[in-house]
Amino acid sequence: MEIAVLAGDGIGPEIMEQALAVLDALKLPEVTLWHGDVGGAGYKKHGHPLPPETLEMAQQADAVLFGSVGDPDCDNLERHLRPEQAILGLRQALTLFANLRPATLFPGLEDLSALRPEVARQIDLLIVRELNGDVYFGEKGMRTLDDGRRQGYDFMSYAEDEVRRIAHIAFRAAQGRKGKLCSVDKANVLETSQLWRDVVVEVSAEYPDVELSHMYVDNAAMQLVRSPGQFDVVVTGNLFGDILSDQASMCVGSIGLLASASLGETQTAFGTKGLFEPIHGSAPDIAGQGKANPMAMILSLAMMLRHSFSLEEEAARIEAAVAKALADGVKGGDLGGSAGTAEIGAAVLERL
Ligand code: IPM
Ligand code: MG
């Protein structure tokens, strides 16, 4: 089991350290860790946010464990050299088109949600976000119009096969949960979304056991805070999924608790190859202070064990240890508590 460990920028290295301690404690046989530079750290050391040696490492590995990228020092670089390009580049190079972002309320955290506790308690959903297409990867640029005005543009599109493959992932995920799938789009305005909806309907014929509904993204944003309990699996495009998953994180209390898996179709000897990362960013304002909550990173490790190494039992053990630590009141600053990074990591280890 070869794992590319890409800690990245900001709080990435400190939270990664805690996740690796948890991995170590599991005493799994034959784990090999490769460490690579990525993001601002990659740029500073090798002149590129996704240095060729890091990409190569990610390509060779059975799974990628990813911290976070983003460094204010790099914000004025040309776009292709900015830290964020590392994660976009990996998603594209490894064809990781399916991003799974579960959002579940941990018992005891009802009061920390931005929603009323009785509403927050209902949250148990999975956002399946398409990750290789949409406006993220279309032609983009800046140009000057004939009358001298500057114009920025980003081309939005989805090809039917791109929609079909993510739809299959979402329908199958719904089969493994409560059997409900809500496809989120903006078909009342966008042709891209009309195609999305048509293809999702076509695919639904193969899943008569899944109850399919459609929702416009603006309504979905509203429903997510009004009554999140109505959602089981949500499938949506890259841009809408980016936004809705941050929103969902606040509904469960903190973005410091949400993990994600990015999967493609590559099967290794152990499971589905993927990249696993917290959905939060590099939080440069608190980096290096030992304050960051490593729970989302630790939960990302659990997702890696589940999806890439078929170690469901170990994954569940980690998730239970995190839930137990939270229930016992171990809370980082993001949850209104005072526990530091190392303390939270140790608390999870103790409960493993
Ligand atoms: C995410 C992030 C990324 C995205 C950024 C860092 C490029 O916000 O994973 O949600 O927009 O996909
Ligand atoms: Mg995002």
Side-chain angles (χ1 to χ4, degrees):
M1 306 195 310
E2 278 147 0
I3 303 168
V5 177
L6 311 180
D9 303 321
I11 60 171
E14 10 181 340
I15 58 174
M16 184 64 84
E17 193 185 324
Q18 300 307 321
L20 293 182
V22 171
L23 176 62
D24 193 53
L26 292 174
K27 302 260 174 286
L28 299 171
E30 294 173 57
V31 173
T32 309
L33 303 182
W34 298 333
H35 295 268
D37 298 311
V38 77
Y43 175 75
K44 285 173 181 164
K45 258 178 128 170
H46 312 269
H48 197 280
L50 183 55
E53 51 266 58
T54 302
L55 177 57
E56 165 86 24
M57 187 184 285
Q59 273 160 339
Q60 297 302 320
D62 297 311
V64 180
L65 194 58
F66 193 94
S68 54
V69 290
D71 179 343
D73 292 353
C74 298
D75 281 350
N76 294 320
L77 294 171
E78 279 176 64
R79 182 166 301 282
H80 75 281
L81 293 175
R82 291 195 205 159
E84 290 76 12
Q85 294 304 310
I87 186 65
L88 298 176
L90 282 167
R91 289 171 183 172
Q92 200 173 31
L94 305 179
T95 327
L96 304 171
F97 63 87
N99 189 209
L100 311 185
R101 298 190 161 185
T104 311
L105 193 90
F106 286 94
L109 295 195
E110 293 81 358
D111 291 333
L112 295 172
S113 167
L115 307 180
R116 287 195 310 280
E118 66 272 22
V119 178
R121 211 167 281 128
Q122 312 164 358
I123 302 173
D124 179 10
L125 59 94
L126 172 68
I127 296 181
V128 178
R129 169 189 177 197
E130 200 288 331
L131 216 51
N132 274 178
D134 201 352
V135 70
Y136 269 61
F137 292 100
E139 189 195 328
K140 55 179 77 238
M142 297 272 192
R143 60 190 166 201
T144 306
L145 300 174
D146 289 345
D147 61 7
R149 284 178 303 148
R150 287 171 304 154
Q151 186 184 56
Y153 61 94
D154 302 86
F155 185 76
M156 177 185 268
S157 71
Y158 265 120
E160 57 181 312
D161 55 305
E162 294 175 309
V163 182
R164 202 167 289 123
R165 64 184 182 181
I166 190 73
H168 280 290
I169 301 268
F171 276 106
R172 276 185 242 130
Q175 282 179 323
R177 293 176 47 107
K178 289 178 220 145
K180 279 171 62 179
L181 177 62
C182 178
S183 172
V184 170
D185 63 36
K186 188 70 187 171
N188 51 346
V189 178
L190 304 173
E191 284 298 298
T192 311
S193 282
Q194 187 58 55
L195 179 91
W196 176 281
R197 191 176 281 222
D198 294 347
V199 173
V200 171
V201 169
E202 285 160 29
V203 173
S204 71
E206 294 176 47
Y207 301 90
D209 50 335
V210 175
E211 183 195 318
L212 173 67
S213 61
H214 304 273
M215 206 179 268
Y216 297 137
V217 62
D218 49 349
N219 186 27
M222 192 259 277
Q223 297 296 338
L224 194 57
V225 290
R226 193 186 73 93
S227 76
Q230 69 186 287
F231 297 106
D232 178 20
V233 179
V234 171
V235 65
T236 189
N238 206 343
L239 181 63
F240 300 156
D242 179 44
I243 298 166
L244 291 179
S245 58
D246 266 36
Q247 191 186 343
S249 74
M250 267 303 116
C251 301
V252 307
S254 168
I255 197 163
L257 296 177
L258 262 71
S260 79
S262 304
L263 307 172
E265 275 162 353
T266 308
Q267 296 297 323
T268 69
F270 310 102
T272 306
K273 176 161 176 169
L275 179 150
F276 303 85
E277 57 171 333
I279 86 157
H280 62 67
S282 60
D285 52 320
I286 58 163
Q289 299 173 28
K291 284 186 191 167
N293 182 354
M295 283 176 167
M297 186 74 244
I298 294 172
L299 293 168
S300 300
L301 167 72
M303 289 190 93
M304 179 184 81
L305 296 179
R306 171 173 297 126
H307 293 282
S308 287
F309 300 110
S310 311
L311 295 169
E312 174 59 37
E313 199 178 305
E314 285 78 358
R317 255 179 84 194
I318 296 175
E319 287 162 353
V322 170
K324 180 107 208 328
L326 285 168
D328 291 345
V330 180
K331 288 179 189 143
D334 58 318
L335 296 171
S338 61
T341 313
E343 192 184 330
I344 298 174
V348 173
L349 268 184
E350 250 170 59
R351 292 165 177 80
L352 204 57

